[in-house]
Amino acid sequence: MPVTRIATLLRDGQPGENVTVKGWVRTRRDSKNSFSFIELNDGSCMKNLQIVVDGAIPDYETSIRLVTTGASISVEGVLKESPGKGQRVEVHAVSLAVLGTADSTTFPLQKKGHSLEFLREIAHLRPRTNTFSAVARVRNCISRSIHNFFQSRGFLYINTPIITTSDCEGAGEMFQVTTLDLARIAKIQTEIDWKQDFFGKPASLTVSGQLEAEIYATSIGDCYTFGPTFRAENSNTTRHLAEFWMVEPEMPFYELTDNMDLAEAFIKAMINDVLEQCPEDMEFFNQRIDTTVLAKLENIRSNSFERLPYTDAIEILKNCGRKFDYAIEWGGDLQTEHERYLTEEHFRKPVILFNYPRTLKPFYMRCNDDGRTVRAMDVLVPGVGEIIGGSQREERLDVLTERIRECGMNPEDYWWYIDLRKYGTVPHSGFGLGLERAVLLITGMTNIRDVIPFPRTPGHAEF
Ligand code: 4AD
Ligand code: MG
């Protein structure tokens, strides 16, 4: 008999049906008159399925003692209306088989209520917990929502390379990829001949698929890339990973305000989808993780985002009477404390900051006529800070070439990117959303290491 997932059974199962379920035991309780109750979870939903085992089933005595927390079992039985509270139906077992035991003296998830820090040490078992399985389901829902949002608007999903020889953000925070035997070279040579390397020159893992997305946007139209990106920034914060997932839409003929409109609609669509498709998981987050998360999301989806030039933001921060750890000066980068003050306390809703100083931003952003700012936009949200970074792109050949030089880069290395401005250039825009930052926002979790299955941070790549 095919296996039915527990989520399906609890939703659609009809009393009288014969079913097979498989999963992992959360708890077992034995009653005096040789009856057992098993709470079974298979990860398909938050709720457990209650299984009633009569001592009269075959091999009851031998198998039931192996049914301990963490063990995997297979049960065939009949669905019955449940007299107990908390569930509509339960399964009365006809036969039960233990697939894999879990030694109760060593199984780390024997009890509930472990700290998130402890669970990070056992990333191979943490998805067996309510919190991490809920995060996995919501993360999946957000990924589906991302594809739906762009697909329903006619955007093409493209795949940009993971290995690259250009540094999109120009920040020099790239992981190098090489097949050279560096240990050997260090012993016999003082310099490395990159021509001998796999690609004939230094290559790295990408920090962003944007530059390649621009190529496609300016030929096939609206498109998006969605994949892993890598940054070797040594920032051990609750918002940064060395490996994270980013979705980057790129649109020809879009100016900065069009870009903002799309970003705002996009964030609201993700929130709507999760609230609609994962109500049970969201209820859990609201009860156990952040009691304000549902109200916060309701507020975000029902209000328009504040749009504010960087220069005005600096004025607000200077005059707000708050002491920040980092000083505020026009031309300085905003720190998370500044971003969060603006979105959480001053405006109490998402804020799109735009027109940043050109010295703060990468070469590809379109220069404004004031000579001081570029058409950048960052979307800041309560609880997280920056969730989206984007811009209108510099489409003018001469200005772009000059900006590349100004940023200390060599235009020759970007000849193909410059070519796009030589042949049929158009105004265009795009942005990048960090998937994990979106999961933080929507679940109310506070550490980015807890919203990606296997976090990579400085010194950590165990699992
Ligand atoms: O602001 P960023 O650096 O923008 C870009 O990479 C552009 N090329 C995107 C584009 O216009 N196509 O990064 C975009 C977003 C940030 O707003 C943040 O959400 C996320 O990516 N991000 C990170 N998330 C986790 N860990 C990190 N180290 C991150 N760095 C950026
Ligand atoms: Mg940014």
Side-chain angles (χ1 to χ4, degrees), residues 204-306:
S204 305
L205 297 176
T206 190
V207 295
S208 160
Q210 176 197 323
L211 303 186
E212 294 87 355
E214 283 187 52
I215 296 177
Y216 271 75
T218 55
S219 42
I220 50 122
D222 297 341
C223 61
Y224 66 106
T225 177
F226 184 13
T229 42
F230 309 85
R231 299 201 182 174
E233 51 191 334
N234 208 349
S235 40
N236 239 321
T237 78
T238 55
R239 304 276 177 278
H240 290 89
L241 291 164
E243 176 180 304
F244 62 98
W245 284 67
M246 181 155 53
V247 53
E248 298 180 90
E250 193 68 32
M251 298 74 65
F253 321 117
Y254 267 52
E255 304 210 349
L256 191 64
T257 40
D258 307 313
N259 207 25
M260 291 181 191
D261 292 344
L262 187 75
E264 182 169 340
F266 176 45
I267 289 177
K268 288 176 172 170
M270 286 187 294
I271 292 174
N272 282 336
D273 286 347
V274 174
L275 291 178
E276 194 184 297
Q277 295 164 24
C278 302
E280 198 186 42
D281 292 323
M282 288 309 303
E283 198 50 54
F284 171 84
F285 288 120
N286 200 54
Q287 275 175 19
R288 307 294 280 272
I289 301 293
D290 171 4
T291 53
T292 67
V293 70
L294 286 177
K296 187 178 69 182
L297 296 178
E298 200 50 59
N299 172 42
I300 295 176
R301 69 166 171 172
S302 53
N303 287 299
S304 53
F305 294 9
E306 189 69 31

Side-chain angles (χ1 to χ4, degrees), residues 180-193 196:
L180 294 176
D181 183 345
L182 298 179
R184 208 187 117 252
I185 291 173
K187 282 192 202 127
I188 56 174
Q189 280 167 239
T190 50
E191 281 200 10
I192 293 172
D193 177 10
Q196 303 298 318

Side-chain angles (χ1 to χ4, degrees), residues 361 378 386 389:
K361 294 292 184 182
D378 277 8
E386 178 191 338

